[in-house]
Every structure is written in structure tokens, then in C-alpha cells.
Amino acid sequence: MLKKALATAALLLAGSAALAGPVGNYYASVNGQRIVVVQGNSMVNSWAAQNGCEWSINVYNDVRTNPAGTNCGAGAQYTLGGSYAGVNYAEEVGGYQDTDDSTTDGSFNYTVSYNTGAVIRTDRNFAGATTLFNAGSSSLGITYDETDNSLWIIGFGSNLLRHYDMSGTQLGSFALAGAVTGGLALDHLDQTLWVVDAGNTMQQYSKTGQHLQTGLTIGYVLGGEFDFATANVGRLPEPASLGLLGVALAALGLSRRKARAAV
């Protein structure tokens, strides 16, 4: 009976693992011209960027974009459903430039300059820029990790994902299966990392570097994020832990049935 229960649990878990795509809603700016939203194995929403050239994106109860650099229009604010909120963000706010991705901890935004490697903190409106540390030129993708108040950063065309604390101390790194353009984002619901590779396809990794699955092909993406409002809300176990959880639940159920039968 125990072998049969474990085999059934394994089959159910294998079926769940075959469902590609993020658990939370992944917001990405495609070509700086259109915002798309991916959940599971589907593109569930998309809308045209209000001002164009809106590469950098972060999400916390709303969607905020910022232009990449000089003469690149302005950013904008949208509802999570894609309605323009009537708010624009001027280019080059705070005097930094060539930033193609951003992230937020709910109080501040974080971005990184492709030209200089400066990791920059701003307020939620992309103003009041302060340089925290330098991650090296060609750095582009960035996402915030609430579990240890840290940042994950990857370079354009690179396959090395780096992990930093807020002082710039490198906490670790691992190599991805292939080069990426950007779109680096942490799904706060299951604590996995997503990137968009050089073939415009979403790829999922654990924080220890295990490639977990391939998602949709969505286009040329530099900036991508999940809604930070989902941090610490209904968090799921990381994929590597799901198998052990399923086996444990199956065994627990079997032992309880045996105990009832013995009474």
C-alpha cells in the first residue's frame, strides 16, 4: 500500500511539474512598446505603452515604467489591468541613464546602469537617485529578494546570475543554461527566478541554479517583474521541495488510515 501511495503521489507531482509558466503574474515590456502579462502557460493581458520606449518596469499594486535613456520618451503608470493612470515619469530623473530594468521593495525602486554598472536606488517615482554600489558595466537585469533584502543582477548577453547584498557584497552566483537579454524577475509566490533568453523565451531557475522549466516565447524583453504585493502572501514551497512535501503528505495520510483501522 505504501509503495502504491508513493507512486500515485509521484505521478500527480510529475503532472503538476509539466504545467509550464510562472505561478504569479509576470509583467514584461516587449521592445519597450508593449506591456505583456504572463501567468501559467498563457499570455493573460497586454497593452500598448503610453509613451513608447518604456523598457524599465516594476510592479507594486500598479505598474510603473521608465525610459531607458536620453531622448527615449517618458515612463508611465498603469493599473495592474493595464489602464493608463494619467501619470508620467520624465526621462533621466535623478541624472542616471541607460537603465533597462528595475525592481522595487515597496518603498524604493532599484535599477542598474548598463554603461557604468552603478546600482541605483530611487523613490517610487524614479526620483532622488542614490548609487549603492557598482556591479560592473553591461549589467542590466535586476530583481529584489525580500527573503534577505538583496538584489539579483545579470548582464546583457550573459549567463552568469549574481546575488548581492545592499552594500555590494556578492553573496553568490551561478551560470544559466544560455545567454539572456534580461527580464530578470523573482516570483514571490514560489521564490523562483525568471529570465528571458536570447531566443526571447522565458526560463525558470531555482535560487541555487537549477533550471526548472521553459516558458512562453514572448518577444525581446529587457525589463520584467512580478507584483511585489504578493511577497509573503500565500507563498508556495520552492519547486525542489514539492516532491518531498507530496511524499510526506502521502505517507501521513497512509499512517492515519492505518491508525484508524487498528482502533
Side-chain angles (χ1 to χ4, degrees):
M1 289 295 293
L2 178 59
K3 287 183 178 179
K4 184 176 180 180
L6 292 176
T8 301
L11 287 173
L12 289 172
L13 289 166
S16 298
L19 299 175
V23 178
N25 285 342
Y26 176 73
Y27 294 79
S29 176
V30 177
N31 293 317
Q33 302 292 320
R34 175 167 292 276
I35 312 301
V36 302
V37 186
V38 175
Q39 197 278 323
N41 205 20
S42 300
M43 188 178 294
V44 296
N45 197 8
S46 70
W47 65 88
Q50 177 71 21
N51 301 304
C53 208
E54 299 176 29
W55 291 97
S56 177
I57 183 171
N58 67 68
V59 187
Y60 178 49
N61 291 321
D62 57 27
V63 179
R64 302 187 184 196
T65 65
N66 203 40
T70 305
N71 300 318
C72 204
Q77 183 183 131
Y78 308 90
T79 67
L80 293 176
S83 298
Y84 174 52
V87 178
N88 292 326
Y89 303 108
E91 65 178 355
E92 300 308 308
V93 172
Y96 60 90
Q97 62 179 351
D98 207 5
T99 55
D100 302 283
D101 190 16
S102 64
T103 188
T104 185
D105 62 5
S107 298
F108 299 100
N109 298 338
Y110 301 89
T111 188
V112 58
S113 170
Y114 177 80
N115 282 341
T116 68
V119 176
I120 300 157
R121 185 185 70 192
T122 71
D123 64 21
R124 289 288 288 122
N125 296 316
F126 302 100
T130 299
T131 297
L132 299 180
F133 61 91
N134 196 289
S137 62
S138 300
S139 294
L140 188 146
I142 186 170
T143 196
Y144 177 75
D145 189 336
E146 73 277 8
T147 64
D148 57 2
N149 186 36
S150 65
L151 296 167
W152 295 85
I153 296 174
I154 196 166
F156 178 79
S158 171
N159 70 334
L160 183 66
L161 184 53
R162 294 159 282 146
H163 190 199
Y164 295 92
D165 69 16
M166 288 298 178
S167 69
T169 299
Q170 188 166 318
L171 303 174
S173 65
F174 59 83
L176 307 184
V180 306
T181 57
L184 176 61
L186 175 67
D187 190 339
H188 304 288
L189 290 177
D190 66 1
Q191 290 298 299
T192 62
L193 294 156
W194 287 87
V195 293
V196 177
D197 67 20
N200 300 334
T201 300
M202 296 174 63
Q203 303 289 345
Q204 183 192 34
Y205 290 85
S206 72
K207 290 182 181 179
T208 58
Q210 179 186 4
H211 181 258
L212 299 173
Q213 62 174 302
T214 295
L216 295 181
T217 298
I218 59 174
Y220 185 68
V221 170
L222 299 182
E225 273 298 295
F226 291 88
D227 187 359
F228 185 70
T230 62
N232 302 312
V233 177
R235 184 180 297 169
L236 301 173
E238 292 187 47
S241 303
L242 291 176
L244 292 175
L245 176 62
V247 169
L249 290 174
L252 178 61
L254 183 61
S255 66
R256 287 179 174 174
R257 287 196 296 273
K258 284 186 176 180
R260 286 198 297 269
V263 174

